[in-house]
Amino acid sequence: MRDRGTKRRTAAIGSASVLAAATLIAGAATAPTAYASAGHGQDREARGAAIAAARAAKAGIDWKDCPADWGLAKPIQCGWVSVPLDYAHPYGKQIQLAVDRIGNTGTKQERQGALVYNPGGPGGSGMRFPTRVTNKNAVWANVAKAYDFVGFDPRGVGHSAPISCVDPQEFVKAPKMDPVPDTEADKLAQRKLAREYAEGCYERSGEMLPYMTTPNTVRDLDVIRAALGEEKLNYLGVSYGTYIGAVYGTLFPGHLRRMVVDSVVNPARQNIWYQANLEQDIAFEGRWKDWEDWVAKNDAAFHLGTTRDAVQAKWLQLRATAKKSPIGGVVGPAELISFFQSAPYYDSSWVPVATVFSKYVAGDTQALIDAAAPDMSDTAGNISAENGNAVYTAVECADAKWPTSWQKWDRDNTRLNKDYPFMTWANAWMNLPCATWPTKQQTPVNVRTGKGLPPVMIVQSTNDAATPYAGAVELHKRFQGSRLITEQGAGSHGVTGLVNSCINTRVDSYLLTGKLDAADVMCGPHATPKP
């Protein structure tokens, strides 16, 4: 299940697809160590990455005002970095990656370089990162004094050689099939949709598909580092961005200066990606219950019941109503899940989702239709949603070998659905295109500590649904010298952007001084949302 951006991607989530002079030279000089640090079998790609990084260090980035329709006003600047489509052939076809930046807000003496960001996905754009400075985000004010904030669109995303699998307007059209199957015929219909989606990806974006992998995105990240004139990378990755960080730390350990990974994908090979999605189904059920408990506790505001069971009964009633006759003709169970799952993802969605639910139960159906139905007039948003889902699918399908046996998919998801029904089948159908993926599937990188890897900061909440807590523990074991900061009793996906002084002060201290605590740290939860 792909990460949700701050803007809800209608029908793209869960049930969606079916349903940097001297420093330049220093950057070039360090690039070849990528070859030395890569594992056997990646030698050609490692050599290609070193060649591309040296070329980028020489070329730099031609920074200009961003295009007007990108929504990134001055003083944010935009530019392009050229990377090979296939790192095994570094002099072959090149693609252009969109990057942006805003300079550090402090003095020249305070500046420590660039901080490069990835928000997750796969399929997420980091281009909004510099707006944390222009929007005066208080949580990041101290770090902004020392660092340029740099974002980028990963390969295939947004402005960076975007891929597509289906017409965007068709992609968002509603209502879609109920993800929870009633019959074998329902399963057959969903399997057909998944197979057709995989075929659509190949028809529309076949040239890109074999190279839409996390290791290639990691190599791109190292080329961006070199183009920025940075000898070493400072990196902030959230959610899937943590897996990019884990693989970067493995392939380029000597190129890292500081790295914060927040809400961590379990990097164990056997977890990428089939098992990861099954683990999500379990974690989402738990966080969904946390939200229902909160709604019940705030019954005076929402009038949805004073117990979890009462709130769940209202949810099941809503779902049954939408299944029988889609609300407003467009909001069926698939659209409901796509909207409601933002609550177990992010605490910031607790109040908005409960408010819409409350209005519906009180007789206002329009609020739910406005929130959950696709906006067919938002063509730009729909293109972005379809692209995000295409990249999600392409990366997850190409990164690892997926089960091709329908019996395995059916058995695993039928079993999980009994106890964890909120997301299981919606997640299964979203990932099923990987069972019939038309291009080669790779073996995931063995994430481990390599020579020169600096101490890494790992931040994680215990109740995270999208990236369960075990992932942070696993990366902590694999990266020697790392420190794990745990936010206990919380579950919002993406911790470093929230107000929690126990975490915020430590992130600031690490990025500004490089210092970590002598031992792992347990923090209390951030404030619970208020109605």
Side-chain angles (χ1 to χ4, degrees):
M1 185 189 313
R2 68 179 299 258
D3 308 333
R4 296 181 62 94
T6 50
K7 177 179 182 291
R8 186 174 66 85
R9 299 179 183 277
T10 304
I13 319 296
S15 55
S17 59
V18 292
L19 3 130
T23 51
L24 282 175
I25 294 165
T30 59
T33 63
Y35 172 53
S37 69
H40 185 69
Q42 295 175 317
D43 291 357
R44 288 179 70 195
E45 285 93 346
R47 190 181 293 112
I51 290 166
R55 195 163 57 204
K58 191 175 180 182
I61 300 171
D62 183 16
W63 295 108
K64 295 178 177 175
D65 291 344
C66 300
D69 61 347
W70 288 17
L72 299 164
K74 289 193 278 189
I76 298 170
Q77 295 178 302
C78 291
W80 302 93
V81 175
S82 181
V83 299
L85 175 61
D86 176 6
Y87 278 94
H89 299 94
Y91 298 107
K93 182 180 171 69
Q94 307 292 302
I95 58 175
Q96 302 296 310
L97 305 183
V99 294
D100 67 344
R101 73 166 182 187
I102 192 165
N104 72 303
T105 61
T107 64
K108 197 175 285 187
Q109 289 72 30
E110 285 177 291
R111 186 179 180 274
Q112 295 193 37
L115 178 63
V116 184
Y117 172 72
N118 180 275
S125 167
M127 298 289 281
R128 300 295 299 171
F129 186 50
T131 66
R132 295 191 186 183
V133 179
T134 55
N135 292 337
K136 298 181 166 50
N137 185 312
V139 169
W140 293 98
N142 292 327
V143 174
K145 288 178 184 175
Y147 291 94
D148 305 345
F149 279 21
V150 175
F152 70 105
D153 275 346
R155 59 172 54 208
V157 176
H159 308 292
S160 297
I163 67 166
S164 171
C165 292
V166 65
D167 176 79
Q169 294 297 98
E170 282 297 311
F171 177 73
V172 302
K173 202 160 70 178
K176 300 195 177 336
M177 277 185 70
D178 183 351
V180 180
D182 292 322
T183 64
E184 289 303 312
D186 288 347
K187 293 177 183 178
L188 207 59
Q190 294 280 21
R191 290 171 65 190
K192 180 172 182 282
L193 287 169
R195 187 171 62 251
E196 288 171 349
Y197 186 83
E199 291 166 355
C201 293
Y202 190 70
E203 286 168 13
R204 295 170 76 100
S205 306
E207 182 187 26
M208 291 279 289
L209 295 190
Y211 312 107
M212 289 295 298
T213 65
T214 300
N216 276 338
T217 295
V218 163
R219 296 176 186 115
D220 294 344
L221 181 57
D222 198 60
V223 175
I224 290 170
R225 169 201 60 77
L228 289 165
E230 300 285 327
E231 185 175 349
K232 295 197 174 187
L233 176 72
N234 303 293
Y235 178 72
L236 170 64
V238 181
S239 193
Y240 167 70
T242 69
Y243 187 56
I244 292 174
V247 175
Y248 188 94
T250 301
L251 298 185
F252 300 97
H255 291 196
L256 262 180
R257 179 174 177 264
R258 288 173 197 158
M259 179 161 76
V260 177
V261 285
D262 170 6
S263 304
V264 182
V265 169
N266 186 330
R269 273 177 160 170
Q270 64 269 24
N271 192 61
I272 306 299
W273 285 104
Y274 180 77
Q275 187 64 33
N277 282 281
L278 298 180
E279 299 292 341
Q280 278 187 330
D281 299 337
I282 297 169
F284 261 92
E285 197 71 32
R287 194 59 181 160
W288 172 249
K289 289 174 180 175
D290 289 349
W291 177 72
E292 289 184 319
D293 286 341
W294 174 86
V295 171
K297 188 178 173 185
N298 290 282
D299 184 59
F302 302 119
H303 313 293
L304 291 167
T306 57
T307 65
R308 179 200 297 171
D309 287 349
V311 178
Q312 177 71 1
K314 289 258 191 343
W315 158 250
L316 293 175
Q317 188 180 348
L318 168 59
R319 205 186 179 290
T321 299
K323 182 180 179 72
K324 187 176 179 182
S325 180
I327 298 157
V330 284
V331 178
E335 291 70 35
L336 287 177
I337 291 171
S338 187
F339 171 63
F340 273 83
Q341 71 169 355
S342 63
Y345 255 107
Y346 301 118
D347 290 8
S348 59
S349 292
W350 281 17
V351 174
V353 172
T355 300
V356 168
F357 193 7
S358 177
K359 285 181 177 179
Y360 171 81
V361 169
D364 178 2
T365 57
Q366 194 59 45
L368 181 59
I369 296 165
D370 292 344
D375 179 357
M376 302 306 291
S377 69
D378 181 17
T379 52
N382 296 340
I383 289 168
S384 177
E386 190 279 324
N387 168 244
N389 199 78
V391 175
Y392 165 86
T393 310
V395 173
E396 293 217 354
C397 293
D399 264 0
K401 293 170 179 64
W402 287 70
T404 56
S405 159
W406 166 246
Q407 284 73 24
K408 177 169 178 56
W409 287 77
D410 193 17
R411 183 174 65 247
D412 289 348
N413 288 283
T414 298
R415 173 178 53 84
L416 276 179
N417 184 67
K418 286 175 183 168
D419 295 320
Y420 314 103
F422 179 66
M423 280 307 313
T424 296
W425 278 114
N427 210 9
W429 304 128
M430 183 176 183
N431 291 287
L432 190 60
C434 295
T436 57
W437 199 242
T439 62
K440 186 179 178 183
Q441 296 177 320
Q442 307 294 327
T443 299
V445 168
N446 182 24
V447 170
R448 65 193 187 281
T449 304
K451 186 179 178 183
L453 182 74
V456 170
M457 174 177 276
I458 302 169
V459 188
Q460 178 82 31
S461 63
T462 53
N463 298 0
D464 192 315
T467 52
Y469 185 71
V473 175
E474 184 66 28
L475 183 61
H476 187 26
K477 286 180 192 168
R478 289 169 180 259
F479 274 0
Q480 293 172 16
S482 63
R483 283 289 173 266
L484 173 57
I485 301 177
T486 300
E487 188 183 29
Q488 290 183 295
S492 201
H493 188 56
V495 176
T496 52
L498 303 173
V499 177
N500 186 333
S501 62
C502 179
I503 295 167
N504 305 147
T505 55
R506 285 180 166 85
V507 172
D508 282 0
S509 177
Y510 171 68
L511 289 173
L512 296 174
T513 71
K515 291 177 182 172
L516 289 167
D517 288 271
D520 293 340
V521 176
M522 290 286 184
C523 291
H526 61 274
T528 305
K530 289 184 171 63

